[in-house]
Amino acid sequence: MYTPPSFAETDLAGLDWLLARDPFATLVTTGADGLPLATHLPVLYARDGDRVLLEGHWARPNPQAGHAGGALLVVHGPHHYVSPDWYPDKAEMARVPTWNYAAAHLYGTLQPLHDEAALASIVARLGERFEPGVGGRWRYDHDDPRERRQLRGIVGFRFEASRIELKFKLNQNHPPANVQGAIDGLRALPGENAMEVAALMADRLARRDRT
C-alpha cells in the first residue's frame, strides 16, 4: 500500500479500532493461474501486543478455500471525498480534491482448518460476536447433528500477520486551518462516513496541537 510518511500509523490501537468498527475484511491470495483471488468475509480478531491473529471460514466450494501460505488481508475503514472549497488557502495554493480514508493491509500466513472442533469453535464464536449486534439469540449447538453436518460445507482458516501497514489519510500534510475547514465541511454533511472521517481528522489535529 502506498503510504507517505505523514499518513502512516504505527499504533496498533488504530487496527483495533478499524476491526471493532468493521470486521468484514477482504482476503487476497494468488490462484493456480497466477491471478489474485479475493474473498469478502467476517473475521474474528485477536491481538496480544504485536501478535495479530484472525480467524474465519470459507464456503468449501470457494476456489480460495484451503489456501495455505502467504496472503493479504485488507481491513476497510471510513472514507469520504474532501472538497478543496473547504480550504482557506484554496485559491492561493490552487488546491485540488482528495479522498480521505483509513485502511489497513495485513500480510501474513494462512493455515487452513478442517477438523470439526476447530470449525465448530469458529462458527460458535462468530455467532457470539455478531448476534448481540442485531438482537439475535442464535447460538451454535454442537449437540445438534444437523448443525454439525453443516460444518462439512466450510473450511476454516487462521491468519497470523507478519507485517501490518496502517494508513490514516486525513489531511495531515495540510496546514491546520485547512484541516479544520475540511472537518467543518464534513460535519455539515449527512452520513456516518463523513462524521467518522471528521472525528478522525479532529483527533489527529488535536494531537498535532499538543506536540
Side-chain angles (χ1 to χ4, degrees):
M1 177 164 55
Y2 170 61
T3 307
S6 56
F7 303 146
E9 190 85 2
T10 57
D11 188 347
L12 288 182
L15 180 63
D16 299 342
W17 180 82
L18 283 172
L19 279 157
R21 173 192 175 276
D22 187 1
F24 192 71
T26 302
L27 182 61
V28 183
T29 60
T30 303
D33 57 3
L35 296 176
L37 288 172
T39 301
H40 308 279
L41 36 70
V43 291
L44 297 162
Y45 169 68
R47 180 168 71 87
D48 182 8
D50 292 335
R51 185 170 186 248
V52 169
L53 188 69
L54 296 106
E55 296 171 288
H57 66 78
W58 300 278
R60 187 170 290 276
N62 185 333
Q64 191 183 64
H67 177 89
L72 163 67
L73 192 139
V74 181
V75 181
H76 309 278
H79 58 91
H80 210 283
Y81 175 81
V82 174
S83 170
D85 199 45
W86 296 334
Y87 303 146
D89 68 357
K90 58 183 179 294
E92 175 190 356
M93 301 300 294
R95 298 295 188 184
V96 295
T98 193
W99 205 284
N100 281 359
Y101 61 92
H105 283 193
L106 282 62
Y107 301 86
T109 303
L110 276 171
Q111 174 193 355
L113 304 171
H114 298 278
D115 62 284
E116 185 180 88
L119 297 176
S121 174
I122 289 171
V123 170
R125 286 181 288 130
L126 283 168
E128 291 164 5
R129 170 67 176 83
F130 295 110
E131 280 289 316
V134 298
R137 292 176 294 177
W138 180 85
R139 295 291 184 271
Y140 172 74
D141 183 2
H142 197 63
D143 293 329
D144 186 335
R146 298 169 303 172
E147 294 196 17
R148 287 205 311 276
R149 279 197 299 271
Q150 293 192 59
L151 297 177
R152 301 171 190 166
I154 63 174
V155 177
F157 67 81
R158 185 172 293 123
F159 174 87
E160 185 158 3
S162 56
R163 178 162 59 95
I164 297 169
E165 296 178 356
L166 278 169
K167 183 175 182 178
F168 282 61
K169 181 181 176 295
L170 302 166
N171 281 125
Q172 298 98 318
N173 56 334
H174 277 257
N178 283 2
V179 180
Q180 187 61 56
I183 292 169
D184 295 340
L186 288 166
R187 284 175 172 167
L189 300 175
E192 291 184 8
N193 265 348
M195 293 299 102
E196 286 184 293
V197 172
L200 289 173
M201 293 175 67
D203 176 68
R204 268 62 182 180
L205 185 58
R207 294 186 199 179
R208 188 195 298 192
D209 290 342
R210 290 195 296 266
T211 59

